[in-house]
Amino acid sequence: MANNSFQEVLDRLEDVNKYLNLPPPIYNRLRCPRRSLIVSLPVRMDNGEVKYFEGYRVHYNTARGPAKGGIRYHPNVNLNEIITLAALMTWKCAIVDLPFGGAKGGIACDTTKMSRDEIKGLTRRYTHEIFMLIGPESDILAPDMYTDEQVMAWIMDTYSTIKGYSVPGVVTGKPVCIGGSLGRKTATSQGLVTVLLEAIKHIGLSQKELTVSIIGFGNVGAAAADILSEKGLKIVGLADSKAAIYNPKGLDIKAVKRHKAEKKSLAGFKDAEQVSIDELIGLKCDVLIPAAVEGQINVKNANTVKARIIAEGANDPTTREADKILNDKGVLILPDILANAGGVVVSYFEWVQDIQRYFWHEDEIQKRLEGIMTKAFKHVLTISQDRKTDMRTAAMILGVGRVAEASAVRGLYP
Ligand code: NAD
């Protein structure tokens, strides 16, 4: 993520305030995180040494409810990035009208070079150090890059051990056997596909003829590839952190998955051309789905984009400068704060089920998820048509507007 990513959040807030004209006390409140905690985490490594890692947890805004947001384990994690992502979570939860504020957390570490025991030790110590912030009523964690349901299970167990009883609602995205929700694993991608198909319908394209490139082949990217190819769209390009592959005739997703499972990389997949990730962004496709890291579509490659639609699975994948270039080219961008909100929607369902200790059937979850995503898409589209703006600005008008309304009605303390 660019070092000045939070500056982009502030610049985008300034852009959207031209439409909202918020009173200065409210506007200024939305320009800073409510609280940011930095923790130092000693972990005994397998070789006996004690290594220190830096971790963060940020509550950006809690006017609409408890803080909600994922945690990521990545070497580039830093406070600026976590504040940025916590701000995006705040707008996102408001856009899909969930009773949550926005949070994010993370640890600067490289889990690819750590053992399972080391990751477990790091996770338990992190949970202990941020204990004063988290809980089902105050701050609910979830997976993000390089964290998964096992990490969530360790957090839930550590938190519950300290409390003395099971508290499943402190995390979402945990295994079903300890209170996870059916449908959570694929929720972000399901939501993304719902929004994408609505957009395709809106601009009058036929989904059967469309080609798709996806950058990132993890939780979000791989599940999106599965769902889209099941629906008859042709996946022509895929990338992970090490390689990118392209075949204009279409990739066999099952074969790609087998290759990735075996080789731990997309590199060398034989039925495709090997290209760089930047090249893939500029290769022909109708839909481009960034589903990896921030800032991947930027001023250097935005002009090369051939896609008609960009559906943002990743958080903050398009820089503000790239946004302008793409909007001028007429590319329809389905922004992260709308398009990838499916994960937090089913996280909300999981939290509700945990609190009630009453679990829903998967078809119920899918139906409700689709309903919320479709409603949010239509609401954002109407705003974009009424205010003659791009979809990101329209989504921000909706999300920031709702957070501002809640802040105003709650008033100032003391
Ligand atoms: P993940 O760790 O499961 O997968 C990340 C993928 O991106 C991997 O395939 C990795 O190889 C690839 N990658 C990493 N660096 C890359 C690079 N520089 N270029 C190309 N590929 C690269 O993570 P995820 O959960 O799928 O999350 C991906 C993105 O989606 C993140 O931005 C995350 O914040 C966002 N997101 C995730 C969820 C969720 O439910 N998991 C919800 C909302 C948003």
Side-chain angles (χ1 to χ4, degrees), residues 52-96:
Y52 285 82
F53 296 86
E54 192 155 283
Y56 311 90
R57 187 70 186 167
V58 171
H59 293 176
Y60 194 82
N61 188 290
T62 54
R64 287 174 51 88
K68 179 85 188 82
I71 54 163
R72 67 170 50 177
Y73 291 175
H74 192 275
N76 296 345
V77 161
N78 60 67
L79 185 60
N80 187 289
E81 172 186 68
I82 298 299
I83 293 174
T84 300
L85 295 168
L88 296 183
M89 275 305 289
T90 307
W91 320 144
K92 188 185 301 182
C93 290
I95 289 164
V96 282

Coordinates of all heavy atoms in Angstrom, one line a residue, residues 52-96:
Y52 N 10.3 -9.9 18.3 CA 9.2 -8.9 18.6 C 8.6 -8.5 17.3 O 9.3 -8.2 16.3 CB 9.8 -7.7 19.3 CG 10.1 -8.0 20.7 CD1 11.3 -8.6 21.1 CD2 9.1 -7.7 21.7 CE1 11.5 -8.9 22.5 CE2 9.4 -8.0 23.1 CZ 10.6 -8.6 23.4 OH 10.8 -8.9 24.7
F53 N 7.3 -8.5 17.3 CA 6.5 -8.1 16.1 C 5.7 -6.9 16.5 O 5.3 -6.7 17.7 CB 5.5 -9.2 15.6 CG 6.3 -10.4 15.1 CD1 6.7 -11.4 16.1 CD2 6.5 -10.6 13.8 CE1 7.3 -12.6 15.6 CE2 7.2 -11.8 13.4 CZ 7.6 -12.7 14.3
E54 N 5.4 -6.0 15.5 CA 4.5 -4.9 15.8 C 3.1 -5.1 15.3 O 2.9 -5.6 14.2 CB 5.1 -3.6 15.2 CG 4.4 -2.3 15.7 CD 5.3 -1.1 15.7 OE1 6.2 -1.0 16.5 OE2 5.0 -0.3 14.7
G55 N 2.1 -4.9 16.2 CA 0.7 -5.1 15.8 C -0.1 -3.8 16.0 O 0.3 -2.9 16.7
Y56 N -1.3 -3.8 15.4 CA -2.1 -2.6 15.4 C -3.6 -3.0 15.5 O -4.0 -4.0 15.0 CB -2.0 -1.7 14.2 CG -0.6 -1.5 13.7 CD1 0.1 -2.4 12.9 CD2 0.1 -0.4 14.2 CE1 1.4 -2.1 12.5 CE2 1.4 -0.1 13.9 CZ 2.1 -1.0 13.0 OH 3.4 -0.8 12.6
R57 N -4.4 -2.1 16.2 CA -5.8 -2.2 16.0 C -6.4 -0.8 16.1 O -6.0 0.0 17.0 CB -6.4 -3.1 17.2 CG -7.9 -3.3 17.1 CD -8.2 -4.3 15.9 NE -9.7 -4.5 15.7 CZ -10.2 -5.1 14.6 NH1 -9.4 -5.6 13.7 NH2 -11.5 -5.2 14.5
V58 N -7.2 -0.5 15.1 CA -7.7 0.9 14.9 C -9.2 0.8 14.9 O -9.8 0.0 14.1 CB -7.2 1.5 13.6 CG1 -7.9 2.8 13.4 CG2 -5.7 1.7 13.7
H59 N -9.9 1.7 15.7 CA -11.3 1.9 15.6 C -11.5 3.2 14.9 O -11.1 4.3 15.4 CB -12.0 2.0 16.9 CG -12.0 0.7 17.7 ND1 -12.5 0.7 19.0 CD2 -11.6 -0.5 17.4 CE1 -12.3 -0.6 19.5 NE2 -11.8 -1.3 18.5
Y60 N -11.9 3.2 13.6 CA -12.0 4.5 12.9 C -13.2 5.3 13.4 O -13.1 6.5 13.7 CB -12.1 4.3 11.4 CG -11.8 5.6 10.7 CD1 -10.5 6.0 10.5 CD2 -12.8 6.4 10.2 CE1 -10.2 7.2 9.9 CE2 -12.5 7.6 9.7 CZ -11.2 8.0 9.5 OH -10.9 9.2 8.9
N61 N -14.4 4.7 13.4 CA -15.6 5.4 13.8 C -16.6 4.4 14.4 O -16.7 3.3 13.8 CB -16.2 6.1 12.6 CG -17.3 7.0 13.0 OD1 -18.4 6.6 13.4 ND2 -17.1 8.3 13.0
T62 N -17.2 4.7 15.5 CA -18.2 3.8 16.1 C -19.6 4.4 16.3 O -20.3 3.9 17.1 CB -17.6 3.2 17.4 OG1 -17.3 4.4 18.3 CG2 -16.4 2.4 17.3
A63 N -19.8 5.4 15.5 CA -21.1 6.1 15.7 C -22.3 5.2 15.4 O -23.4 5.3 16.0 CB -21.2 7.4 14.8
R64 N -22.2 4.3 14.5 CA -23.3 3.4 14.1 C -23.3 2.1 14.8 O -24.3 1.3 14.6 CB -23.3 3.2 12.6 CG -23.7 4.4 11.7 CD -23.5 4.1 10.3 NE -24.1 2.9 9.8 CZ -25.4 2.8 9.4 NH1 -26.2 3.9 9.3 NH2 -25.9 1.7 9.0
G65 N -22.3 1.8 15.6 CA -22.3 0.5 16.4 C -20.9 0.0 16.7 O -19.9 0.8 16.4
P66 N -20.8 -1.2 17.2 CA -19.4 -1.7 17.5 C -18.5 -1.7 16.3 O -18.9 -1.8 15.2 CB -19.7 -3.2 17.9 CG -21.2 -3.4 18.0 CD -21.9 -2.2 17.4
A67 N -17.2 -1.5 16.6 CA -16.2 -1.5 15.5 C -16.2 -2.9 14.9 O -16.3 -3.9 15.6 CB -14.9 -1.2 16.1
K68 N -16.0 -3.0 13.6 CA -15.9 -4.3 12.9 C -14.9 -4.2 11.8 O -14.8 -3.3 11.0 CB -17.3 -4.5 12.2 CG -17.4 -5.8 11.4 CD -17.7 -7.0 12.4 CE -17.6 -8.3 11.7 NZ -16.3 -8.9 11.7
G69 N -14.0 -5.2 11.8 CA -13.0 -5.2 10.7 C -12.0 -6.3 10.9 O -11.8 -6.9 12.0
G70 N -11.4 -6.7 9.8 CA -10.5 -7.8 9.7 C -9.1 -7.5 10.3 O -8.8 -6.4 10.7
I71 N -8.3 -8.6 10.3 CA -6.9 -8.4 10.7 C -6.1 -9.1 9.6 O -6.4 -10.1 9.1 CB -6.5 -9.0 12.1 CG1 -6.9 -10.5 12.2 CG2 -7.1 -8.2 13.2 CD1 -6.3 -11.2 13.3
R72 N -5.0 -8.4 9.2 CA -4.1 -9.0 8.2 C -2.7 -9.2 8.8 O -2.2 -8.4 9.6 CB -4.1 -8.1 7.0 CG -3.5 -6.7 7.0 CD -3.4 -6.1 5.7 NE -4.6 -6.2 4.9 CZ -4.7 -5.6 3.7 NH1 -3.7 -5.0 3.1 NH2 -5.9 -5.7 3.0
Y73 N -2.1 -10.2 8.3 CA -0.7 -10.5 8.6 C 0.1 -10.4 7.4 O 0.0 -11.2 6.4 CB -0.5 -12.0 9.1 CG -1.2 -12.3 10.5 CD1 -1.2 -13.6 11.0 CD2 -1.7 -11.3 11.3 CE1 -1.7 -13.9 12.2 CE2 -2.3 -11.6 12.5 CZ -2.3 -12.9 13.0 OH -2.9 -13.2 14.2
H74 N 1.0 -9.3 7.3 CA 1.7 -9.1 6.1 C 2.9 -8.2 6.4 O 2.8 -7.3 7.3 CB 0.8 -8.4 5.0 CG 1.4 -8.3 3.7 ND1 2.3 -7.3 3.3 CD2 1.2 -9.1 2.6 CE1 2.6 -7.6 2.0 NE2 2.0 -8.6 1.6
P75 N 4.1 -8.5 5.7 CA 5.3 -7.7 6.1 C 5.1 -6.2 5.9 O 5.7 -5.4 6.7 CB 6.3 -8.2 5.1 CG 5.8 -9.5 4.5 CD 4.3 -9.5 4.7
N76 N 4.2 -5.7 5.0 CA 4.1 -4.3 4.8 C 3.1 -3.6 5.7 O 2.8 -2.4 5.5 CB 3.7 -4.0 3.3 CG 4.7 -4.5 2.4 OD1 5.9 -4.7 2.7 ND2 4.3 -4.6 1.1
V77 N 2.5 -4.4 6.6 CA 1.4 -3.8 7.5 C 2.1 -2.6 8.3 O 3.2 -2.7 8.8 CB 0.9 -4.8 8.4 CG1 0.2 -4.2 9.6 CG2 -0.1 -5.7 7.7
N78 N 1.4 -1.5 8.3 CA 1.8 -0.3 9.1 C 0.6 0.5 9.5 O -0.5 0.2 9.0 CB 2.8 0.6 8.3 CG 2.1 1.1 7.0 OD1 1.2 1.9 7.1 ND2 2.6 0.6 5.8
L79 N 0.8 1.4 10.4 CA -0.4 2.1 11.0 C -1.2 2.9 10.0 O -2.4 2.9 10.0 CB 0.1 3.1 12.1 CG -1.0 3.8 12.9 CD1 -1.9 2.8 13.6 CD2 -0.4 4.8 13.9
N80 N -0.5 3.5 9.0 CA -1.2 4.3 8.0 C -2.1 3.4 7.2 O -3.3 3.8 6.9 CB -0.1 4.9 7.1 CG -0.7 5.9 6.1 OD1 -1.4 5.5 5.1 ND2 -0.5 7.2 6.3
E81 N -1.6 2.2 6.8 CA -2.5 1.3 6.1 C -3.7 0.8 6.9 O -4.8 0.8 6.4 CB -1.6 0.0 5.7 CG -2.5 -1.1 5.1 CD -1.7 -2.4 4.9 OE1 -1.3 -3.0 5.8 OE2 -1.4 -2.7 3.7
I82 N -3.4 0.5 8.2 CA -4.5 0.0 9.0 C -5.6 1.1 9.2 O -6.8 0.8 9.2 CB -4.0 -0.5 10.3 CG1 -3.0 -1.7 10.1 CG2 -5.1 -0.9 11.3 CD1 -3.6 -2.9 9.4
I83 N -5.1 2.4 9.4 CA -6.1 3.5 9.6 C -6.9 3.6 8.3 O -8.2 3.8 8.3 CB -5.4 4.8 9.9 CG1 -4.8 4.7 11.3 CG2 -6.4 6.0 9.9 CD1 -3.9 5.9 11.7
T84 N -6.3 3.5 7.1 CA -6.9 3.6 5.8 C -8.0 2.5 5.7 O -9.2 2.8 5.4 CB -5.9 3.4 4.7 OG1 -5.0 4.4 4.8 CG2 -6.6 3.5 3.3
L85 N -7.6 1.3 6.0 CA -8.6 0.2 5.9 C -9.7 0.3 6.9 O -10.9 -0.1 6.6 CB -7.8 -1.1 6.0 CG -6.8 -1.4 4.9 CD1 -5.9 -2.6 5.2 CD2 -7.5 -1.6 3.5
A86 N -9.4 0.8 8.1 CA -10.5 1.0 9.1 C -11.5 2.1 8.6 O -12.7 2.0 8.8 CB -9.9 1.4 10.4
A87 N -11.0 3.1 7.9 CA -11.9 4.1 7.4 C -12.8 3.5 6.3 O -14.0 3.7 6.3 CB -11.1 5.3 6.8
L88 N -12.2 2.7 5.4 CA -13.0 2.1 4.4 C -14.1 1.2 5.0 O -15.2 1.1 4.5 CB -12.1 1.3 3.4 CG -11.1 2.1 2.6 CD1 -10.3 1.2 1.7 CD2 -11.7 3.2 1.8
M89 N -13.7 0.5 6.1 CA -14.7 -0.4 6.7 C -15.9 0.4 7.3 O -17.0 0.0 7.3 CB -14.0 -1.2 7.9 CG -13.3 -2.4 7.5 SD -14.4 -3.6 6.6 CE -15.5 -4.2 7.9
T90 N -15.6 1.6 7.7 CA -16.6 2.5 8.3 C -17.6 2.8 7.2 O -18.8 2.7 7.4 CB -16.0 3.8 8.9 OG1 -15.0 3.4 9.8 CG2 -17.0 4.6 9.6
W91 N -17.1 3.2 6.1 CA -18.1 3.6 5.0 C -18.8 2.4 4.5 O -20.0 2.4 4.2 CB -17.4 4.3 3.8 CG -16.3 5.3 4.1 CD1 -15.1 5.5 3.3 CD2 -16.2 6.3 5.1 NE1 -14.3 6.4 3.9 CE2 -15.0 7.0 5.0 CE3 -17.0 6.6 6.2 CZ2 -14.5 7.9 5.9 CZ3 -16.6 7.6 7.1 CH2 -15.4 8.3 6.9
K92 N -18.0 1.2 4.4 CA -18.6 0.0 3.8 C -19.8 -0.5 4.6 O -20.8 -0.8 4.1 CB -17.5 -1.1 3.8 CG -17.9 -2.3 3.0 CD -16.8 -3.4 3.1 CE -15.5 -2.9 2.6 NZ -14.4 -3.9 2.6
C93 N -19.6 -0.6 6.0 CA -20.7 -1.1 6.8 C -21.9 -0.2 6.7 O -23.0 -0.7 6.7 CB -20.2 -1.1 8.3 SG -19.0 -2.4 8.6
A94 N -21.7 1.1 6.5 CA -22.8 2.0 6.4 C -23.5 1.9 5.1 O -24.7 1.9 5.0 CB -22.3 3.5 6.6
I95 N -22.7 1.6 4.0 CA -23.3 1.5 2.7 C -24.3 0.3 2.6 O -25.4 0.4 2.0 CB -22.2 1.3 1.6 CG1 -21.5 2.6 1.4 CG2 -22.8 0.8 0.2 CD1 -20.2 2.5 0.7
V96 N -23.9 -0.8 3.3 CA -24.8 -2.0 3.3 C -25.7 -2.0 4.5 O -26.4 -2.9 4.9 CB -24.1 -3.3 3.2 CG1 -23.7 -3.6 1.7 CG2 -22.8 -3.4 4.0

